[in-house]
């Protein structure tokens, strides 16, 4: 069996470090141009240098997205940008466009290239074509079933890797080649500017009755006819791996530090259990419970087992399910004083019942009994974003541990 890789998203340096610490084997990020998440913070060249150094020191790979569908003007700065990426020491580039592919081969002939899902990789002939051009890996289209993937894996070279999504948001145009954003908001989804109009609320207006909004679906609040559920394959790790996918990818470069940590942690445990004893693997309900504690939409298995039907969309609203609040990130812990320095992420109070989550399997519950501001003054609440707060806690915490509490209605 090929080496199994857990591949995590990172929208910035903090999220990359969290992904690495919580168990990712590789991380994919966007540079400041040529990626499909222009709204993410993304990485400057200096950030990438630090990211690569941090990841490589822990045996983790870093892949950079360059997977927009470029127009002529987009190509102008690409060669110089690639030279800078080559100096940083990244492990691979994720490409969707043949022109971009050829420029990468000219400028960085030794760079490993992965073919993005944007290239609509739905059959073994396409995948073999990319292999012959020099691609090391192909990211499978999301509209493939496990049976189709198994057939593909049987008809490609052994040294060609297959990457597939196992968790995260699903695009209405599953491989991502969508023009709806261009039409509705004049923002090119294929150049990193998607406005996500598939998540908007729609009504019908009849030509001779302007201003009279009729629901597309029988619901007085309107409908979200293109709003897909989120993918979740935590209960089907054996089927995914045994179909031939060896890089298991989590979607979410726009997602929070808490989402990255929680999701990577859950899938790390599930994959490790499979690798220990594939024949006797059983899904642990706690893994799914953890995924439910991160912000998410209702879950689906997408196309993996059967073609999705009307049950795979959410027609009532576009909101996420949020049952827990991420309230703080641990910066330091003083073992002698048993005091943790916390960077606040959501408001919390003295007396709150909290959970402490780290890359380990155990989750610890505590009540905040004492807390101080950075100047040592006792306080009852931490209301300010990214406020530094000290709390008394008897369990030894580590940097990048997370604190969370049940969300208040």
């Amino acid at each position: 069996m090929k080496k199994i890789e857990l591949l995590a998203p990172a929208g910035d340096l903090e999220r990359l470090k969290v992904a690495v610490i919580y168990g990712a084997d590789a991380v994919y990020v966007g540079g400041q141009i040529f990626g499909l998440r222009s709204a993410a913070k993304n990485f400057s060249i200096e950030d990438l240098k630090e990211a690569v150094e941090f990841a490589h020191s822990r045996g983790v790979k870093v892949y950079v997205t360059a997977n927009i569908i470029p127009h002529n003007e987009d190509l102008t700065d690409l060669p110089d940008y690639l030279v800078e990426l080559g100096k940083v020491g990244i492990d691979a580039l994720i490409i969707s466009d043949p022109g971009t592919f050829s420029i990468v081969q000219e400028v960085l002939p030794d760079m490993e290239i992965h073919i993005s899902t944007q290239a609509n990789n739905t059959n073994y002939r396409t995948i073999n074509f990319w292999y012959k051009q020099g691609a090391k890996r192909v990211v499978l289209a999301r509209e493939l079933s496990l049976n189709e993937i198994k057939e593909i894996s049987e008809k490609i070279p052994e040294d060609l890797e297959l990457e597939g999504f196992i968790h995260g948001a699903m695009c209405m145009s599953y491989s991502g080649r969508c023009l709806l954003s261009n039409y509705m908001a004049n923002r090119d989804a294929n150049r990193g500017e998607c406005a996500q109009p598939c998540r908007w609320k729609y009504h019908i207006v009849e030509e001779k009755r302007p201003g009279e909004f009729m629901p597309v679906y029988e619901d007085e609040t309107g409908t979200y006819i293109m709003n897909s559920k989120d993918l979740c394959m935590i209960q089907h790790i054996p089927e995914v791996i045994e179909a031939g996918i060896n890089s298991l990818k989590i979607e979410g470069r726009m997602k929070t530090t808490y989402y990255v940590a929680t999701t990577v942690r859950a899938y790390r445990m599930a994959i490790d259990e499979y690798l220990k004893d594939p024949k006797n693997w059983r899904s642990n309900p706690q893994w799914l419970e953890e995924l439910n504690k991160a912000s998410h939409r209702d879950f689906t298995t997408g196309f993996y087992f059967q073609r999705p039907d009307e049950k795979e969309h959410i027609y009532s609203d576009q909101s996420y399910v949020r049952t827990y609040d991420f309230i703080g990130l641990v910066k330091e812990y003083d073992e002698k004083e048993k005091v943790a320095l916390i960077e606040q992420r959501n408001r919390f109070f003295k007396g709150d019942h909290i959970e402490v989550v780290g890359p380990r399997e155990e989750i610890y519950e505590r009540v905040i009994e004492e807390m101080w501001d950075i100047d040592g003054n006792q306080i009852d609440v931490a209301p300010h974003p990214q406020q530094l707060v000290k709390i008394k806690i008897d369990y030894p915490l580590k940097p990048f541990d997370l604190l969370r509490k049940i969300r208040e209605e």
Side-chain angles (χ1 to χ4, degrees), residues 122 140-154 162-166 231-248 301-308:
T122 58
L140 296 164
R142 300 187 205 198
E143 52 268 37
L144 289 174
S145 68
L146 289 174
N147 286 335
E148 289 177 295
I149 294 168
K150 186 174 183 180
E151 182 180 358
I152 286 171
S153 69
E154 292 168 350
L162 294 179
E163 179 179 305
F165 286 92
I166 56 166
L231 180 66
C232 178
M233 294 295 286
I234 195 80
Q235 296 172 302
H236 305 285
I237 296 300
E239 294 98 314
V240 170
I241 294 174
E242 290 160 17
I245 298 174
N246 53 288
S247 178
L248 282 61
T301 56
F303 284 79
Y304 280 128
F305 294 102
Q306 61 189 14
R307 293 188 66 81

Side-chain angles (χ1 to χ4, degrees), residues 280-291:
N280 293 307
W281 186 91
R282 295 289 182 274
S283 178
N284 186 332
Q286 291 181 351
W287 302 333
L288 183 59
E289 183 181 331
E290 278 300 295
L291 295 176

Side-chain angles (χ1 to χ4, degrees), residues 348-367:
F348 61 94
F349 297 83
K350 179 180 175 180
D352 277 347
H353 186 280
I354 64 170
E355 293 182 358
V356 180
V357 183
R360 57 199 170 271
E361 290 195 19
E362 300 85 358
I363 293 174
Y364 295 91
E365 299 183 23
R366 293 290 187 275
V367 173

Side-chain angles (χ1 to χ4, degrees), residues 230-373:
D230 284 356
L231 180 66
C232 178
M233 294 295 286
I234 195 80
Q235 296 172 302
H236 305 285
I237 296 300
E239 294 98 314
V240 170
I241 294 174
E242 290 160 17
I245 298 174
N246 53 288
S247 178
L248 282 61
K249 185 173 191 174
I250 297 168
E251 182 275 339
R253 283 195 290 126
M254 299 286 289
K255 298 294 180 66
T256 65
T257 295
Y258 174 63
Y259 172 91
V260 172
T262 305
T263 309
V264 170
R265 178 177 174 274
Y267 278 97
R268 179 75 274 158
M269 290 189 286
I271 293 168
D272 285 350
E273 283 300 309
Y274 174 83
L275 295 175
K276 271 193 256 178
D277 189 359
K279 291 184 180 179
N280 293 307
W281 186 91
R282 295 289 182 274
S283 178
N284 186 332
Q286 291 181 351
W287 302 333
L288 183 59
E289 183 181 331
E290 278 300 295
L291 295 176
N292 277 314
K293 290 181 180 180
S295 179
H296 65 284
R297 301 179 185 91
D298 291 342
F299 290 135
T300 175
T301 56
F303 284 79
Y304 280 128
F305 294 102
Q306 61 189 14
R307 293 188 66 81
D309 56 21
E310 68 279 1
K311 297 176 183 177
E312 307 309 309
H313 282 68
I314 305 168
Y315 299 104
S316 58
D317 60 52
Q318 65 170 344
S319 63
Y320 288 90
V321 178
R322 293 184 176 94
T323 57
Y324 275 73
D325 279 332
F326 167 37
I327 62 171
L329 183 71
V330 175
K331 308 297 285 185
E332 299 173 4
Y333 183 75
D334 186 327
E335 292 193 20
K336 183 179 179 181
E337 300 292 332
K338 298 190 183 304
V339 170
L341 179 65
I342 308 297
E343 185 177 86
Q344 188 260 37
R345 295 303 171 88
N346 277 290
R347 187 173 61 164
F348 61 94
F349 297 83
K350 179 180 175 180
D352 277 347
H353 186 280
I354 64 170
E355 293 182 358
V356 180
V357 183
R360 57 199 170 271
E361 290 195 19
E362 300 85 358
I363 293 174
Y364 295 91
E365 299 183 23
R366 293 290 187 275
V367 173
I368 300 177
E369 296 179 347
E370 293 181 82
M371 53 194 291
W372 304 267
D373 64 20

Side-chain angles (χ1 to χ4, degrees), residues 96-152:
S96 62
D97 171 66
T100 305
F101 188 101
S102 67
I103 295 172
V104 172
Q105 288 190 316
E106 291 168 8
V107 177
L108 299 174
D110 297 324
M111 177 61 67
E112 184 172 304
I113 300 177
H114 299 174
I115 303 303
S116 170
T117 189
Q118 296 291 120
N120 301 303
N121 305 307
T122 58
N123 64 78
Y124 64 86
R125 289 296 294 255
T126 296
I127 292 168
N128 280 320
F129 166 83
W130 284 116
Y131 176 78
K132 291 175 183 177
Q133 306 311 306
K136 171 72 173 177
R137 176 184 297 184
V138 174
V139 187
L140 296 164
R142 300 187 205 198
E143 52 268 37
L144 289 174
S145 68
L146 289 174
N147 286 335
E148 289 177 295
I149 294 168
K150 186 174 183 180
E151 182 180 358
I152 286 171

